[in-house]
Amino acid sequence: MSGQTALSDPDTCWLVALGQHIYQHASLPAVDPFSWTLTSELADKQPYIAYQWLSALIFTAINKVGGAAALLYFTAITIVISFIMVPLAAANVLRISPLLVALAASLAISAGSFHFPCRPEIFSYLFLALLIATVVKLSESKGSLPFFAYGSSAALFFALWANLHTGFVLGLMVLAVTSLLIPRVPLLASFLGGLIGSLLTPYGVNLWQYLPHLFFSQANEYNQELFPLTTYELLSFDFLAFDIIGLALLAGLVTDIVIQIKHKLKHQHFSQATFNHLPWLILSLAGFFAALQSRRLVPFAAILAMGFVYQFLVTHRPALAQWNLPTIKTRYYLLPLALAILGVNTAISLFHATLPSSTFGFVVPEEALKLINKTRPAGRLLNDPQYGDVMVLSDGDKAKVFIDTRFDVYGDKITLDFWQMANCRGPWQKLLEQYQISWVFFPSRAPIVSRLTRDGAWQTLFKDDNAVILIKR
């Protein structure tokens, strides 16, 4: 699946372009190098923060070495390690049933499979999976290392994570909840060290100041990846694994309540071992309901649920040992990785790997891009965001797009103004004049194309089945 879909998201285009810019200039950009809007007088006055700069550099390096195919292999391998191999290794370290863990991991990777693009999220999948397994292990004892050892290790871990993707915030939430409800020195030291490590980026505390804008921007309402899941989708086969995870978490909650009641009646106090489930139930259920509101969080919710699986199996390890469940020999742990590589290789043999990549949902406007590269129209451009992504990859610093899919970077004003113009809503014609738009580049089905085509002040420069370029007379 990664081999067919990982590059279908045009976001990878601007990530590779950003990495190329950083590599060529040997520094992070102080202002956006790809658009004309963010350097205009009409932009929101907010700092430019390339918070995924390290991911961009990694993707660029991989693309330079092996092209789009290498990006597909890297994405698939990272996902399989995060969702399958880390859980299997955790089962070995925690001395719990690898078979039960493998079944849970299979549900997790199935639930998240609809959103496995070649984007910085894949690093957060890996780091979150590693963190959860480590936290469950640290919860078993009070620790044998000095406070500084745990704190410094966490600082390095989160410093790397914070330069790759903003998912590090979720990792800090995991440490905050577990250290609060399971008083262990290693957990508290790791949380404090993680906070310090998150400041070790080129932007320091400015990254934290930027996060509320990133997570709660008004423009997020127009990002389909952040839309809530509908009842129809939850009842579809695509989200069956996610539904099962939710039901399993609710069953775990009920089971823990029953166990606590029975333990209270028999021993006059509650079971401390079962209380260790509490932070993971809180985190897993919170992750599940957050994913219902924002579909992009489904893979993260699936990984969080593995924390409850680990802790549940650790607590009931003696009882489960009596079941004599089959084990999985260690030498078979690499089998999923081998199968992933084989799967990507098969996909590449059937579908040529390219960046950007056309899919059923997005067709690269190749002929229109050739025309723009040859004879770019003069003046300011208004473009489709995904077309902006491919222009940024194709033209780099010369792209000068109105917008691409980095909606948080452009801010609410530009994003909302774009939405009105593209969909011919509100004062869209006045906005065209305000931004001094001279030419537009959109898919042929876009509302603005239909309206401007009938406007005598505009003429068609290019048109095919996929894209249209209109210029002002």
Side-chain angles (χ1 to χ4, degrees), residues 196-222:
I196 295 172
S198 69
L199 298 173
L200 302 180
T201 72
Y203 305 104
V205 72
N206 290 333
L207 175 59
W208 276 97
Q209 294 175 341
Y210 183 76
L211 291 178
H213 166 74
L214 174 64
F215 296 146
F216 306 111
S217 169
Q218 186 180 356
N220 289 345
E221 298 177 9
Y222 302 95

PDB file of all heavy atoms in Angstrom, residues 196-222:
ATOM      1  N   ILE A 196      13.236  19.824  28.124  1.00  0.00           N
ATOM      2  CA  ILE A 196      14.476  20.538  27.793  1.00  0.00           C
ATOM      3  C   ILE A 196      14.900  20.212  26.353  1.00  0.00           C
ATOM      4  O   ILE A 196      15.285  21.091  25.579  1.00  0.00           O
ATOM      5  CB  ILE A 196      15.591  20.179  28.784  1.00  0.00           C
ATOM      6  CG1 ILE A 196      15.211  20.680  30.190  1.00  0.00           C
ATOM      7  CG2 ILE A 196      16.929  20.760  28.347  1.00  0.00           C
ATOM      8  CD1 ILE A 196      16.158  20.210  31.274  1.00  0.00           C
ATOM      9  N   GLY A 197      14.819  18.936  25.998  1.00  0.00           N
ATOM     10  CA  GLY A 197      15.219  18.528  24.651  1.00  0.00           C
ATOM     11  C   GLY A 197      14.390  19.169  23.563  1.00  0.00           C
ATOM     12  O   GLY A 197      14.897  19.478  22.482  1.00  0.00           O
ATOM     13  N   SER A 198      13.099  19.403  23.843  1.00  0.00           N
ATOM     14  CA  SER A 198      12.224  20.013  22.831  1.00  0.00           C
ATOM     15  C   SER A 198      12.611  21.454  22.527  1.00  0.00           C
ATOM     16  O   SER A 198      12.162  22.014  21.522  1.00  0.00           O
ATOM     17  CB  SER A 198      10.766  19.953  23.293  1.00  0.00           C
ATOM     18  OG  SER A 198      10.544  20.810  24.406  1.00  0.00           O
ATOM     19  N   LEU A 199      13.423  22.053  23.385  1.00  0.00           N
ATOM     20  CA  LEU A 199      13.894  23.422  23.147  1.00  0.00           C
ATOM     21  C   LEU A 199      15.172  23.455  22.311  1.00  0.00           C
ATOM     22  O   LEU A 199      15.603  24.533  21.883  1.00  0.00           O
ATOM     23  CB  LEU A 199      14.144  24.129  24.480  1.00  0.00           C
ATOM     24  CG  LEU A 199      12.920  24.316  25.389  1.00  0.00           C
ATOM     25  CD1 LEU A 199      13.352  24.878  26.736  1.00  0.00           C
ATOM     26  CD2 LEU A 199      11.886  25.221  24.732  1.00  0.00           C
ATOM     27  N   LEU A 200      15.759  22.273  22.090  1.00  0.00           N
ATOM     28  CA  LEU A 200      17.036  22.202  21.369  1.00  0.00           C
ATOM     29  C   LEU A 200      16.804  22.112  19.860  1.00  0.00           C
ATOM     30  O   LEU A 200      17.162  21.143  19.193  1.00  0.00           O
ATOM     31  CB  LEU A 200      17.849  21.006  21.868  1.00  0.00           C
ATOM     32  CG  LEU A 200      18.167  21.012  23.373  1.00  0.00           C
ATOM     33  CD1 LEU A 200      18.976  19.777  23.754  1.00  0.00           C
ATOM     34  CD2 LEU A 200      18.924  22.275  23.755  1.00  0.00           C
ATOM     35  N   THR A 201      16.176  23.143  19.337  1.00  0.00           N
ATOM     36  CA  THR A 201      15.951  23.280  17.897  1.00  0.00           C
ATOM     37  C   THR A 201      16.483  24.652  17.480  1.00  0.00           C
ATOM     38  O   THR A 201      16.771  25.489  18.337  1.00  0.00           O
ATOM     39  CB  THR A 201      14.451  23.196  17.555  1.00  0.00           C
ATOM     40  OG1 THR A 201      13.800  24.398  17.997  1.00  0.00           O
ATOM     41  CG2 THR A 201      13.798  21.984  18.225  1.00  0.00           C
ATOM     42  N   PRO A 202      16.607  24.905  16.183  1.00  0.00           N
ATOM     43  CA  PRO A 202      17.070  26.238  15.752  1.00  0.00           C
ATOM     44  C   PRO A 202      16.155  27.368  16.198  1.00  0.00           C
ATOM     45  O   PRO A 202      16.560  28.535  16.178  1.00  0.00           O
ATOM     46  CB  PRO A 202      17.083  26.116  14.222  1.00  0.00           C
ATOM     47  CG  PRO A 202      17.216  24.657  13.941  1.00  0.00           C
ATOM     48  CD  PRO A 202      16.477  23.978  15.044  1.00  0.00           C
ATOM     49  N   TYR A 203      14.915  27.023  16.613  1.00  0.00           N
ATOM     50  CA  TYR A 203      13.940  28.055  16.961  1.00  0.00           C
ATOM     51  C   TYR A 203      13.703  28.179  18.463  1.00  0.00           C
ATOM     52  O   TYR A 203      13.037  29.113  18.900  1.00  0.00           O
ATOM     53  CB  TYR A 203      12.616  27.761  16.246  1.00  0.00           C
ATOM     54  CG  TYR A 203      12.792  27.621  14.757  1.00  0.00           C
ATOM     55  CD1 TYR A 203      12.786  26.368  14.146  1.00  0.00           C
ATOM     56  CD2 TYR A 203      13.001  28.730  13.953  1.00  0.00           C
ATOM     57  CE1 TYR A 203      12.973  26.230  12.780  1.00  0.00           C
ATOM     58  CE2 TYR A 203      13.182  28.602  12.585  1.00  0.00           C
ATOM     59  CZ  TYR A 203      13.168  27.346  12.003  1.00  0.00           C
ATOM     60  OH  TYR A 203      13.356  27.221  10.657  1.00  0.00           O
ATOM     61  N   GLY A 204      14.237  27.247  19.241  1.00  0.00           N
ATOM     62  CA  GLY A 204      14.119  27.328  20.683  1.00  0.00           C
ATOM     63  C   GLY A 204      12.678  27.444  21.142  1.00  0.00           C
ATOM     64  O   GLY A 204      11.784  26.722  20.676  1.00  0.00           O
ATOM     65  N   VAL A 205      12.423  28.375  22.035  1.00  0.00           N
ATOM     66  CA  VAL A 205      11.077  28.559  22.587  1.00  0.00           C
ATOM     67  C   VAL A 205      10.093  29.070  21.544  1.00  0.00           C
ATOM     68  O   VAL A 205       8.875  28.919  21.694  1.00  0.00           O
ATOM     69  CB  VAL A 205      11.136  29.528  23.799  1.00  0.00           C
ATOM     70  CG1 VAL A 205      11.406  30.966  23.343  1.00  0.00           C
ATOM     71  CG2 VAL A 205       9.845  29.468  24.605  1.00  0.00           C
ATOM     72  N   ASN A 206      10.583  29.655  20.457  1.00  0.00           N
ATOM     73  CA  ASN A 206       9.696  30.143  19.391  1.00  0.00           C
ATOM     74  C   ASN A 206       8.891  29.011  18.755  1.00  0.00           C
ATOM     75  O   ASN A 206       7.781  29.235  18.263  1.00  0.00           O
ATOM     76  CB  ASN A 206      10.496  30.872  18.311  1.00  0.00           C
ATOM     77  CG  ASN A 206      11.037  32.202  18.798  1.00  0.00           C
ATOM     78  OD1 ASN A 206      10.462  32.823  19.691  1.00  0.00           O
ATOM     79  ND2 ASN A 206      12.149  32.640  18.233  1.00  0.00           N
ATOM     80  N   LEU A 207       9.454  27.807  18.756  1.00  0.00           N
ATOM     81  CA  LEU A 207       8.709  26.670  18.222  1.00  0.00           C
ATOM     82  C   LEU A 207       7.474  26.407  19.077  1.00  0.00           C
ATOM     83  O   LEU A 207       6.384  26.181  18.546  1.00  0.00           O
ATOM     84  CB  LEU A 207       9.597  25.422  18.172  1.00  0.00           C
ATOM     85  CG  LEU A 207       8.903  24.115  17.736  1.00  0.00           C
ATOM     86  CD1 LEU A 207       8.302  24.265  16.351  1.00  0.00           C
ATOM     87  CD2 LEU A 207       9.880  22.943  17.773  1.00  0.00           C
ATOM     88  N   TRP A 208       7.631  26.467  20.387  1.00  0.00           N
ATOM     89  CA  TRP A 208       6.492  26.272  21.284  1.00  0.00           C
ATOM     90  C   TRP A 208       5.462  27.388  21.102  1.00  0.00           C
ATOM     91  O   TRP A 208       4.257  27.143  21.167  1.00  0.00           O
ATOM     92  CB  TRP A 208       6.965  26.223  22.733  1.00  0.00           C
ATOM     93  CG  TRP A 208       7.435  24.862  23.142  1.00  0.00           C
ATOM     94  CD1 TRP A 208       8.718  24.402  23.182  1.00  0.00           C
ATOM     95  CD2 TRP A 208       6.608  23.770  23.564  1.00  0.00           C
ATOM     96  NE1 TRP A 208       8.747  23.084  23.599  1.00  0.00           N
ATOM     97  CE2 TRP A 208       7.473  22.679  23.843  1.00  0.00           C
ATOM     98  CE3 TRP A 208       5.238  23.604  23.729  1.00  0.00           C
ATOM     99  CZ2 TRP A 208       6.993  21.448  24.281  1.00  0.00           C
ATOM    100  CZ3 TRP A 208       4.765  22.364  24.171  1.00  0.00           C
ATOM    101  CH2 TRP A 208       5.633  21.310  24.440  1.00  0.00           C
ATOM    102  N   GLN A 209       5.925  28.600  20.875  1.00  0.00           N
ATOM    103  CA  GLN A 209       4.994  29.707  20.665  1.00  0.00           C
ATOM    104  C   GLN A 209       4.232  29.561  19.350  1.00  0.00           C
ATOM    105  O   GLN A 209       3.113  30.072  19.213  1.00  0.00           O
ATOM    106  CB  GLN A 209       5.767  31.036  20.675  1.00  0.00           C
ATOM    107  CG  GLN A 209       6.379  31.367  22.024  1.00  0.00           C
ATOM    108  CD  GLN A 209       7.247  32.617  21.983  1.00  0.00           C
ATOM    109  OE1 GLN A 209       7.682  33.054  20.920  1.00  0.00           O
ATOM    110  NE2 GLN A 209       7.515  33.190  23.149  1.00  0.00           N
ATOM    111  N   TYR A 210       4.834  28.851  18.399  1.00  0.00           N
ATOM    112  CA  TYR A 210       4.201  28.651  17.094  1.00  0.00           C
ATOM    113  C   TYR A 210       3.160  27.524  17.122  1.00  0.00           C
ATOM    114  O   TYR A 210       2.231  27.517  16.313  1.00  0.00           O
ATOM    115  CB  TYR A 210       5.281  28.332  16.063  1.00  0.00           C
ATOM    116  CG  TYR A 210       4.780  28.165  14.645  1.00  0.00           C
ATOM    117  CD1 TYR A 210       4.437  29.275  13.876  1.00  0.00           C
ATOM    118  CD2 TYR A 210       4.640  26.908  14.078  1.00  0.00           C
ATOM    119  CE1 TYR A 210       3.979  29.126  12.579  1.00  0.00           C
ATOM    120  CE2 TYR A 210       4.190  26.744  12.781  1.00  0.00           C
ATOM    121  CZ  TYR A 210       3.860  27.866  12.036  1.00  0.00           C
ATOM    122  OH  TYR A 210       3.399  27.721  10.753  1.00  0.00           O
ATOM    123  N   LEU A 211       3.314  26.590  18.060  1.00  0.00           N
ATOM    124  CA  LEU A 211       2.468  25.398  18.064  1.00  0.00           C
ATOM    125  C   LEU A 211       0.969  25.697  18.189  1.00  0.00           C
ATOM    126  O   LEU A 211       0.164  25.039  17.505  1.00  0.00           O
ATOM    127  CB  LEU A 211       2.910  24.442  19.188  1.00  0.00           C
ATOM    128  CG  LEU A 211       4.264  23.772  18.965  1.00  0.00           C
ATOM    129  CD1 LEU A 211       4.613  22.887  20.164  1.00  0.00           C
ATOM    130  CD2 LEU A 211       4.264  22.946  17.686  1.00  0.00           C
ATOM    131  N   PRO A 212       0.528  26.637  19.040  1.00  0.00           N
ATOM    132  CA  PRO A 212      -0.922  26.920  19.084  1.00  0.00           C
ATOM    133  C   PRO A 212      -1.477  27.342  17.724  1.00  0.00           C
ATOM    134  O   PRO A 212      -2.594  26.941  17.354  1.00  0.00           O
ATOM    135  CB  PRO A 212      -1.020  28.059  20.110  1.00  0.00           C
ATOM    136  CG  PRO A 212       0.174  27.868  20.997  1.00  0.00           C
ATOM    137  CD  PRO A 212       1.257  27.379  20.085  1.00  0.00           C
ATOM    138  N   HIS A 213      -0.705  28.124  16.978  1.00  0.00           N
ATOM    139  CA  HIS A 213      -1.148  28.517  15.637  1.00  0.00           C
ATOM    140  C   HIS A 213      -1.241  27.288  14.726  1.00  0.00           C
ATOM    141  O   HIS A 213      -2.187  27.147  13.940  1.00  0.00           O
ATOM    142  CB  HIS A 213      -0.178  29.531  15.042  1.00  0.00           C
ATOM    143  CG  HIS A 213      -0.353  29.736  13.564  1.00  0.00           C
ATOM    144  ND1 HIS A 213      -1.406  30.437  13.026  1.00  0.00           N
ATOM    145  CD2 HIS A 213       0.384  29.283  12.504  1.00  0.00           C
ATOM    146  CE1 HIS A 213      -1.314  30.426  11.708  1.00  0.00           C
ATOM    147  NE2 HIS A 213      -0.238  29.738  11.366  1.00  0.00           N
ATOM    148  N   LEU A 214      -0.275  26.389  14.842  1.00  0.00           N
ATOM    149  CA  LEU A 214      -0.250  25.195  13.999  1.00  0.00           C
ATOM    150  C   LEU A 214      -1.439  24.285  14.296  1.00  0.00           C
ATOM    151  O   LEU A 214      -2.112  23.793  13.377  1.00  0.00           O
ATOM    152  CB  LEU A 214       1.057  24.439  14.219  1.00  0.00           C
ATOM    153  CG  LEU A 214       1.201  23.081  13.523  1.00  0.00           C
ATOM    154  CD1 LEU A 214       1.189  23.245  12.020  1.00  0.00           C
ATOM    155  CD2 LEU A 214       2.485  22.380  13.969  1.00  0.00           C
ATOM    156  N   PHE A 215      -1.706  24.057  15.577  1.00  0.00           N
ATOM    157  CA  PHE A 215      -2.733  23.095  15.957  1.00  0.00           C
ATOM    158  C   PHE A 215      -4.149  23.661  15.932  1.00  0.00           C
ATOM    159  O   PHE A 215      -5.104  22.918  15.728  1.00  0.00           O
ATOM    160  CB  PHE A 215      -2.439  22.547  17.358  1.00  0.00           C
ATOM    161  CG  PHE A 215      -1.161  21.753  17.447  1.00  0.00           C
ATOM    162  CD1 PHE A 215      -0.387  21.780  18.592  1.00  0.00           C
ATOM    163  CD2 PHE A 215      -0.738  20.984  16.386  1.00  0.00           C
ATOM    164  CE1 PHE A 215       0.782  21.045  18.678  1.00  0.00           C
ATOM    165  CE2 PHE A 215       0.433  20.241  16.448  1.00  0.00           C
ATOM    166  CZ  PHE A 215       1.192  20.275  17.605  1.00  0.00           C
ATOM    167  N   PHE A 216      -4.290  24.971  16.133  1.00  0.00           N
ATOM    168  CA  PHE A 216      -5.633  25.537  16.296  1.00  0.00           C
ATOM    169  C   PHE A 216      -5.942  26.639  15.279  1.00  0.00           C
ATOM    170  O   PHE A 216      -6.808  27.471  15.507  1.00  0.00           O
ATOM    171  CB  PHE A 216      -5.795  26.087  17.714  1.00  0.00           C
ATOM    172  CG  PHE A 216      -5.487  25.076  18.782  1.00  0.00           C
ATOM    173  CD1 PHE A 216      -4.361  25.210  19.586  1.00  0.00           C
ATOM    174  CD2 PHE A 216      -6.303  23.972  18.966  1.00  0.00           C
ATOM    175  CE1 PHE A 216      -4.068  24.264  20.557  1.00  0.00           C
ATOM    176  CE2 PHE A 216      -6.024  23.021  19.938  1.00  0.00           C
ATOM    177  CZ  PHE A 216      -4.895  23.169  20.735  1.00  0.00           C
ATOM    178  N   SER A 217      -5.254  26.631  14.179  1.00  0.00           N
ATOM    179  CA  SER A 217      -5.488  27.630  13.145  1.00  0.00           C
ATOM    180  C   SER A 217      -6.903  27.506  12.582  1.00  0.00           C
ATOM    181  O   SER A 217      -7.430  26.403  12.394  1.00  0.00           O
ATOM    182  CB  SER A 217      -4.467  27.474  12.020  1.00  0.00           C
ATOM    183  OG  SER A 217      -4.813  28.257  10.902  1.00  0.00           O
ATOM    184  N   GLN A 218      -7.513  28.631  12.296  1.00  0.00           N
ATOM    185  CA  GLN A 218      -8.845  28.629  11.672  1.00  0.00           C
ATOM    186  C   GLN A 218      -8.804  27.978  10.298  1.00  0.00           C
ATOM    187  O   GLN A 218      -9.791  27.379   9.852  1.00  0.00           O
ATOM    188  CB  GLN A 218      -9.363  30.064  11.568  1.00  0.00           C
ATOM    189  CG  GLN A 218     -10.789  30.171  11.058  1.00  0.00           C
ATOM    190  CD  GLN A 218     -11.262  31.615  10.959  1.00  0.00           C
ATOM    191  OE1 GLN A 218     -10.544  32.542  11.353  1.00  0.00           O
ATOM    192  NE2 GLN A 218     -12.459  31.815  10.436  1.00  0.00           N
ATOM    193  N   ALA A 219      -7.660  28.065   9.646  1.00  0.00           N
ATOM    194  CA  ALA A 219      -7.518  27.463   8.313  1.00  0.00           C
ATOM    195  C   ALA A 219      -7.619  25.944   8.352  1.00  0.00           C
ATOM    196  O   ALA A 219      -7.873  25.310   7.321  1.00  0.00           O
ATOM    197  CB  ALA A 219      -6.186  27.884   7.691  1.00  0.00           C
ATOM    198  N   ASN A 220      -7.424  25.331   9.519  1.00  0.00           N
ATOM    199  CA  ASN A 220      -7.515  23.874   9.631  1.00  0.00           C
ATOM    200  C   ASN A 220      -8.904  23.358   9.275  1.00  0.00           C
ATOM    201  O   ASN A 220      -9.074  22.189   8.933  1.00  0.00           O
ATOM    202  CB  ASN A 220      -7.153  23.429  11.055  1.00  0.00           C
ATOM    203  CG  ASN A 220      -5.674  23.585  11.349  1.00  0.00           C
ATOM    204  OD1 ASN A 220      -4.867  23.753  10.437  1.00  0.00           O
ATOM    205  ND2 ASN A 220      -5.304  23.543  12.612  1.00  0.00           N
ATOM    206  N   GLU A 221      -9.909  24.244   9.366  1.00  0.00           N
ATOM    207  CA  GLU A 221     -11.270  23.834   9.031  1.00  0.00           C
ATOM    208  C   GLU A 221     -11.405  23.448   7.560  1.00  0.00           C
ATOM    209  O   GLU A 221     -12.357  22.767   7.183  1.00  0.00           O
ATOM    210  CB  GLU A 221     -12.249  24.966   9.349  1.00  0.00           C
ATOM    211  CG  GLU A 221     -12.293  25.360  10.827  1.00  0.00           C
ATOM    212  CD  GLU A 221     -13.219  26.539  11.074  1.00  0.00           C
ATOM    213  OE1 GLU A 221     -13.938  26.930  10.126  1.00  0.00           O
ATOM    214  OE2 GLU A 221     -13.207  27.067  12.197  1.00  0.00           O
ATOM    215  N   TYR A 222     -10.448  23.866   6.729  1.00  0.00           N
ATOM    216  CA  TYR A 222     -10.527  23.592   5.294  1.00  0.00           C
ATOM    217  C   TYR A 222      -9.561  22.482   4.869  1.00  0.00           C
ATOM    218  O   TYR A 222      -9.469  22.167   3.682  1.00  0.00           O
ATOM    219  CB  TYR A 222     -10.224  24.870   4.509  1.00  0.00           C
ATOM    220  CG  TYR A 222     -11.168  26.002   4.858  1.00  0.00           C
ATOM    221  CD1 TYR A 222     -10.816  26.953   5.809  1.00  0.00           C
ATOM    222  CD2 TYR A 222     -12.420  26.093   4.265  1.00  0.00           C
ATOM    223  CE1 TYR A 222     -11.684  27.982   6.147  1.00  0.00           C
ATOM    224  CE2 TYR A 222     -13.297  27.117   4.594  1.00  0.00           C
ATOM    225  CZ  TYR A 222     -12.920  28.058   5.537  1.00  0.00           C
ATOM    226  OH  TYR A 222     -13.787  29.061   5.884  1.00  0.00           O
TER     227      TYR A 222
END
